[in-house]
Amino acid sequence: MSISYSNYYEKVYFTALFLAITLQFIACSSERDDTVPVAEPMLIIKFDPNQARINNLGEPSMVAVGNGAQSPIFNTISSHYVEISQSATTALDAGTILYHAPETTIGDTKAIDFKQSKIVT
Protein backbone atom coordinates (compact mmCIF):
# COMPACT_ATOMS: atom_id res chain seq x y z
CA MET A 1 0.00 0.00 0.00
CA SER A 2 1.45 3.26 -1.10
CA ILE A 3 0.63 6.58 0.61
CA SER A 4 0.79 9.71 -1.45
CA TYR A 5 2.38 12.27 0.81
CA SER A 6 1.33 15.24 -1.28
CA ASN A 7 -2.31 14.13 -1.11
CA TYR A 8 -2.01 13.42 2.63
CA TYR A 9 -0.51 16.86 3.39
CA GLU A 10 -3.12 18.58 1.24
CA LYS A 11 -5.88 16.90 3.28
CA VAL A 12 -4.20 17.89 6.56
CA TYR A 13 -3.64 21.46 5.31
CA PHE A 14 -7.23 21.93 4.13
CA THR A 15 -8.62 20.30 7.28
CA ALA A 16 -6.53 22.65 9.47
CA LEU A 17 -7.54 25.62 7.34
CA PHE A 18 -11.21 24.63 7.57
CA LEU A 19 -10.99 24.26 11.37
CA ALA A 20 -9.22 27.64 11.74
CA ILE A 21 -11.88 29.42 9.70
CA THR A 22 -14.69 27.61 11.52
CA LEU A 23 -13.22 28.56 14.91
CA GLN A 24 -13.10 32.21 13.85
CA PHE A 25 -16.83 32.20 13.19
CA ILE A 26 -17.66 30.26 16.34
CA ALA A 27 -15.44 32.35 18.62
CA CYS A 28 -16.68 35.70 17.33
CA SER A 29 -19.94 37.06 18.58
CA SER A 30 -22.34 38.71 16.19
CA GLU A 31 -23.20 41.24 18.89
CA ARG A 32 -20.61 43.96 19.23
CA ASP A 33 -20.38 46.22 22.20
CA ASP A 34 -19.30 49.51 20.66
CA THR A 35 -20.67 51.59 23.50
CA VAL A 36 -18.31 54.06 25.08
CA PRO A 37 -18.60 54.25 28.86
CA VAL A 38 -20.06 57.56 29.96
CA ALA A 39 -18.20 59.45 32.65
CA GLU A 40 -20.38 60.04 35.67
CA PRO A 41 -19.58 63.02 37.90
CA MET A 42 -19.18 62.32 41.60
CA LEU A 43 -20.79 64.79 43.96
CA ILE A 44 -19.09 64.95 47.34
CA ILE A 45 -20.96 66.80 50.07
CA LYS A 46 -18.94 67.91 53.08
CA PHE A 47 -20.46 69.63 56.09
CA ASP A 48 -18.57 72.18 58.14
CA PRO A 49 -20.22 73.09 61.45
CA ASN A 50 -18.28 76.37 61.42
CA GLN A 51 -19.36 77.41 57.92
CA ALA A 52 -20.75 80.92 57.63
CA ARG A 53 -24.50 81.24 57.19
CA ILE A 54 -25.39 82.38 53.66
CA ASN A 55 -28.58 83.68 52.04
CA ASN A 56 -30.29 82.47 48.85
CA LEU A 57 -27.76 84.37 46.70
CA GLY A 58 -24.77 82.82 48.42
CA GLU A 59 -23.83 85.97 50.30
CA PRO A 60 -23.00 86.01 54.04
CA SER A 61 -26.12 86.48 56.13
CA MET A 62 -26.90 87.18 59.75
CA VAL A 63 -29.97 86.14 61.68
CA ALA A 64 -32.01 89.25 62.41
CA VAL A 65 -32.36 90.30 66.03
CA GLY A 66 -35.44 88.68 67.57
CA ASN A 67 -35.50 85.83 65.04
CA GLY A 68 -34.48 82.24 65.67
CA ALA A 69 -32.44 79.96 63.43
CA GLN A 70 -31.43 76.34 63.34
CA SER A 71 -27.99 74.82 62.97
CA PRO A 72 -28.89 71.17 62.50
CA ILE A 73 -26.56 68.22 62.73
CA PHE A 74 -26.96 66.00 59.65
CA ASN A 75 -26.73 62.22 60.10
CA THR A 76 -27.94 61.45 56.56
CA ILE A 77 -28.83 63.48 53.49
CA SER A 78 -30.22 62.99 50.02
CA SER A 79 -30.10 65.38 47.12
CA HIS A 80 -33.03 66.06 44.83
CA TYR A 81 -31.63 68.33 42.18
CA VAL A 82 -28.09 69.28 41.14
CA GLU A 83 -27.51 71.83 38.39
CA ILE A 84 -24.44 73.69 37.15
CA SER A 85 -25.22 77.21 36.03
CA GLN A 86 -23.16 79.57 33.88
CA SER A 87 -23.35 82.48 36.33
CA ALA A 88 -24.97 83.55 39.57
CA THR A 89 -27.90 85.06 37.68
CA THR A 90 -28.68 82.03 35.51
CA ALA A 91 -32.33 81.01 35.92
CA LEU A 92 -33.26 77.65 37.37
CA ASP A 93 -33.37 74.90 34.68
CA ALA A 94 -31.28 77.06 32.32
CA GLY A 95 -27.99 75.40 33.29
CA THR A 96 -26.74 71.83 32.93
CA ILE A 97 -28.75 69.43 35.11
CA LEU A 98 -26.45 66.80 36.59
CA TYR A 99 -28.98 64.99 38.74
CA HIS A 100 -32.74 65.08 39.17
CA ALA A 101 -34.22 62.58 41.61
CA PRO A 102 -37.43 60.68 40.87
CA GLU A 103 -40.67 62.53 41.57
CA THR A 104 -44.25 61.43 42.13
CA THR A 105 -47.66 62.93 41.44
CA ILE A 106 -49.65 60.65 43.75
CA GLY A 107 -50.89 63.63 45.81
CA ASP A 108 -52.03 65.48 42.66
CA THR A 109 -48.94 67.73 42.67
CA LYS A 110 -45.35 66.94 41.79
CA ALA A 111 -43.26 66.01 44.82
CA ILE A 112 -40.03 64.23 45.74
CA ASP A 113 -40.41 60.44 45.80
CA PHE A 114 -38.53 59.72 49.03
CA LYS A 115 -38.94 55.95 48.58
CA GLN A 116 -36.56 56.13 45.60
CA SER A 117 -34.14 58.70 47.08
CA LYS A 118 -30.48 57.77 47.43
CA ILE A 119 -29.64 58.48 51.05
CA VAL A 120 -26.02 59.17 51.94
CA THR A 121 -24.66 58.77 55.44
Side-chain angles (χ1 to χ4, degrees):
M1 182 167 175
S2 159
I3 299 176
S4 170
Y5 288 107
S6 64
N7 192 16
Y8 173 75
Y9 287 119
E10 284 179 11
K11 287 182 181 178
V12 169
Y13 173 76
F14 285 117
T15 303
L17 183 63
F18 175 75
L19 287 174
I21 292 171
T22 304
L23 285 175
Q24 287 293 326
F25 286 112
I26 292 173
C28 295
S29 172
S30 62
E31 296 178 18
R32 293 182 54 181
D33 187 14
D34 290 338
T35 58
V36 177
V38 177
E40 294 184 13
M42 181 184 299
L43 180 65
I44 299 174
I45 301 171
K46 292 185 178 183
F47 296 101
D48 181 3
N50 300 318
Q51 182 174 345
R53 184 176 296 274
I54 58 175
N55 63 12
N56 61 334
L57 298 176
E59 300 166 343
S61 172
M62 299 295 293
V63 178
V65 178
N67 290 340
Q70 292 183 339
S71 295
I73 297 173
F74 292 94
N75 295 322
T76 62
I77 191 167
S78 68
S79 63
H80 175 67
Y81 183 85
V82 178
E83 177 180 1
I84 297 176
S85 59
Q86 287 77 15
S87 68
T89 58
T90 303
L92 188 63
D93 284 339
T96 303
I97 300 171
L98 299 179
Y99 178 73
H100 194 165
E103 296 176 333
T104 181
T105 55
I106 292 176
D108 294 332
T109 58
K110 190 164 53 170
I112 299 171
D113 189 352
F114 289 104
K115 290 183 181 179
Q116 296 184 44
S117 292
K118 295 179 183 177
I119 299 182
V120 181
T121 56

